[in-house]
Amino acid sequence: MFYREAGQFKTSYAADQSIFPILQDRIGIAIILAVAFIGIPLFATNFFISTIMIPFLILALATIGLNLLTGYAGQLSLGTGAFMGVGAYACYKLTTFFPDADIILLVLASGFVSAAIGVLFGLPSLRIKGFYLVVTTLAAQFFLEWCFIRIPWLYNYNPSGAIEAPARRGLNIVLTGPGANATARYLVVLTIVVVMTWIASNLVRGRIGRSWMMVRDMDIAAELMGVKLFQTKLLAFAVSSFYCGVAGAAMVFFWLGATEPTAFSINLSFQILFMVIIGGLGSLVGSFLGAAFIWILPAFLRAIPSVFGIAIGAETVEHLSFIVIGALIIAFLIVEPHGLARLWQVGKQKLRVWPFPY
Amino acid sequence: MKAKLLGLAAALAVALSAPASVPVKAQDSIFIPLPTYRTGPFAGSGTHIANGLRDYLTMLNERDGGIGGVRLEIEECETGYDTQKGVECYQAMRGRKPVVFNPWSTGITLPLIPLAAKDKIPILSMAYGLSAAADGNVFPWIFNPPDTYWDGASAIILHIANTEGGLDKLKGKKIGFVFLDAGYGREPIPLLEQLASKYGFELLKYPVPAQQMQNQSSTWLNVRRDRPDWVYLQGWGAMNPTAIKEAAKTRFPMDKLISMWWPTEDDARQTGEGAKGFMILNFHSARSDFPALNDIRKFVVDKGLSQVSSPDLVGTNLYNRGVYNSVLIAEAIRTAQKLTGKKVITGEDMRIGLENLQITPERWAEIGFANFAQPVKLTCTDHSGHTQLYIQRWNGKEYEQASEWFSPMTDVVQPLLDKAAKEYVAANQPWPERTEACATN
C-alpha cells in the first residue's frame, strides 16, 4: 500500500535501466539527499557533524570498498586498514610535493596509489582463495603497517612518527587543518561519498559487476563462460583499494587531522569487516547501514546516560555499550544472517503487500 | 521476528523514558574533562592514572569546596587509548568550555595540537606527546611539563655515565635500546643517536612491534647475543612486565636495566625476586605517606567516592602520576585565578595560568606534598620546565630512591627541540604565528 509499484510502467530501455526504477525510492532518496545536503548543514550542531556524520560517511566509503571486493567479487580480505593507510600516507606525501594543489584532487589521487598497491597484493588471489587469501591480505596488513612505522620518508622524518594534515585548500576554501570549517568538510566528504557510491552502484550493475558476481559464485563456471579471471579479480582489488584509499586519506585529512600508524592497524580492518557483515554482503545500502550501526549507535548509547543525568562512570558506559552492541550484533545475525540490508529488503516487501500479508 | 522486534522497541522505549533525574548544573563551576582508559589493552596502567587524576580533584572539592571557592566539575570520558574515541571525547567536551584537556595518549595528543589554538583550550600532555611542543613560541596552547621524552632519554644516558664514572667513560660502551615500535617508542631515537656520536657509545636498537609486546623472546635473544653493557627500556602497557621477565630469564643483570617512567609496581612484581635491582627514571615519588594522600584517603576513599579497588593502591607509582597531573591542573587554576582576578576561569585564562605556573618547594609542602617532586616553573617560551629527575630501584617490594635528583642534559635537548619545532612549523604551513601576549606576574 505504501510501497506499491503497480501501475509504474517502463516504456523505454533507459527508464528500465534507471538506478531507482520505483517512484517511492526516488522520493526517498531525494529526501535523504535533501536532509544530508541542506538539512544537516543548516540545523545540526558542530559536534554532530564532525564526530558523527563525517566519520560515518568516511567509514561507509571504506565499507563500500571492502564490500566491492568481498561482497561482490567474493575475495576475502583483512587488509582494509592497511589500504586505507596507503591512501592516507600517499595523500600526505602528495600534499608535501604539491602544497598548492587542490586537496580534494589529492585525496582522490591518493586512491590511485592505494589501487596500485591493492593490485600488487591482489596477485595471490589468482592462485588461492578463501581463507588462504585472507592470510595473504593479513600479510599485506602487517607488512604495510610495518612500512608506515619503518620508512621515515613516508612521514617526512617526523620524530614522533605521525602524519599531520597541514592547512590546505580545496575549491579555494581551507578544508584541512585547524582553521577548516566542519560544515565545509562535511559537504566535501558527503559529495565524494555520494558520487563514489553512485559510481559503485553503476559499476556493480554493469558488465564489470556482473563478472565479479560470476567469479564470486563460481569462478570456474565464470571462466568457461569467457570471464577473464586475471583482469576481473585484479580489477576488483584495484577498485576496492581505490575506495579504501580515498576513505583513508579523507579519514586523516577531513576527520582526524593527524594520526599515528596504529590508527591503520588490524583493528580498523576488523571494524570495516564488521560493518560489511552487519550491513550485508554485496549491498551498497548495507554498507551505509553497517557503518551507521557500528559508528553511530555506540556514540548514541554513550550519550544516553548523560542526557538523562544518570551518574554512571565513563568506563561503565563503555562496557555497557560494548555489551549492548555485542548483543545486538548477535541478535541481528540470528534474526537475519544476511545483515541489515536484507532486513531492509524484507521490510520493503512487507510494506509492498501491507495490509494483506501472505 | 515481529514479536522480537516489538520487544526490542518496547525495551528501548522504556529505557528512553526512564525517570530522568537531570541534576541542576552549578553555573559557577570549572569544567575539567578527564579522558581515561579503564578499558582496552592498556587499562592495566590507565586505571591507576585515572584514579589518581580523579581522586585528587575530588579531594579538593570535598575538603576545600573546589579551588578558590569554585567547585570543579569533573567528568570522565573513556577513550580506551583509542585515537578515534579520544578525538570524539574532545569534540564532545569542547562545547562545554573545559579549561584544560589531558589526552593521556600521544596518539590522541597529536590531532588535538592544531585544534587547541582554534578552540582556545590548553592541552596538558604531561611528560608525553610531542617533545617539540615544549616550545611555547610555536605551540602557545600545548604544555608538556615537567619533562619531555628527550629530557628523559638524556637523563638515562647521564645516569649510565654517572654510574660508569663520567661521560668520557661512555666511549666504546654498548647501550641497547628496547622500544615499542610506534611513535612513542621511537621518539627518543634522534636524541640517542646524537648522544651516541657525541660520546662515542654504540646504540643497539631492539624494536618490539605492538603485536609482539607479550612475546619478546627473540628480542632478548638478540640482546644476549650482542651483550650490551646497558639496556634502556621504552615500553608501555603489557610490554614492560614482559621485558622485565625476559631480561630476568636471559640473565641480563637487572642493575643495568633502566626504563622510562611508565612501569608500575605490578610490572616488576610479576617477575618476583628476579626483578630486584630494576630501575626506572621518575619525576615524582612513589611513596604513599604524604599528607595530601592521607586527605585523599580520608575525604575520597573512605567516603566511597573513589574507584580504587583497594585503599593500598593510593600512593603507587602510576596513581601518584595521575595525582601529579591533577596537582598541575589545580595549581594552574589557582595561578590563573590570581592573575586574572576571576573566580570562574576560561580556557584562555588557564593558558595564562599554565604559562606562569610555578610550584616552589614551599608550595609543594603547603599542599601536603613535601619532597614529592622538584619545583616546576613554566614560562611563555618554555612549556616543559625540564625539571630534575631521579632513579628509582625496585627492591622486591616497592620502588626506592636510588639516586640524587639530577638535571637532564638540557644543553643537548634544547637545540633539538628548537629544530623539531621549526620542522613542525615548516611541515604544517601555514602555521599561525603566536598572537597570545605573554602575561607576567
Side-chain angles (χ1 to χ4, degrees), chain A residues 51 150 178 302 308 315 318, chain B residues 16 85 118 181 207 307:
Chain A
T51 62
R150 285 312 186 76
R302 277 197 288 273
F308 290 103
E315 80 285 358
E318 191 70 17
Chain B
L16 287 176
K85 274 191 211 148
K118 195 180 142 240
D181 202 357
Q307 297 199 25

Side-chain angles (χ1 to χ4, degrees), chain A residues 88-116:
Chain A
Y89 278 80
C91 193
Y92 180 66
K93 287 309 284 187
L94 285 174
T95 61
T96 318
F97 294 140
F98 310 106
D100 298 326
D102 190 302
I103 188 68
I104 301 172
L105 284 183
L106 294 184
V107 166
L108 293 176
S110 55
F112 288 103
V113 179
S114 183

Side-chain angles (χ1 to χ4, degrees), chain B residues 170-208:
Chain B
L170 285 176
K171 209 173 181 63
K173 287 272 184 302
K174 285 196 274 192
I175 297 179
F177 179 51
V178 177
F179 60 100
L180 181 68
D181 202 357
Y184 152 68
R186 304 182 67 84
E187 179 97 25
I189 291 179
L191 182 101
L192 291 175
E193 278 173 346
Q194 187 165 342
L195 291 177
S197 65
K198 191 169 173 188
Y199 295 112
F201 63 86
E202 193 186 341
L203 181 69
L204 305 165
K205 285 180 256 177
Y206 305 101
V208 177

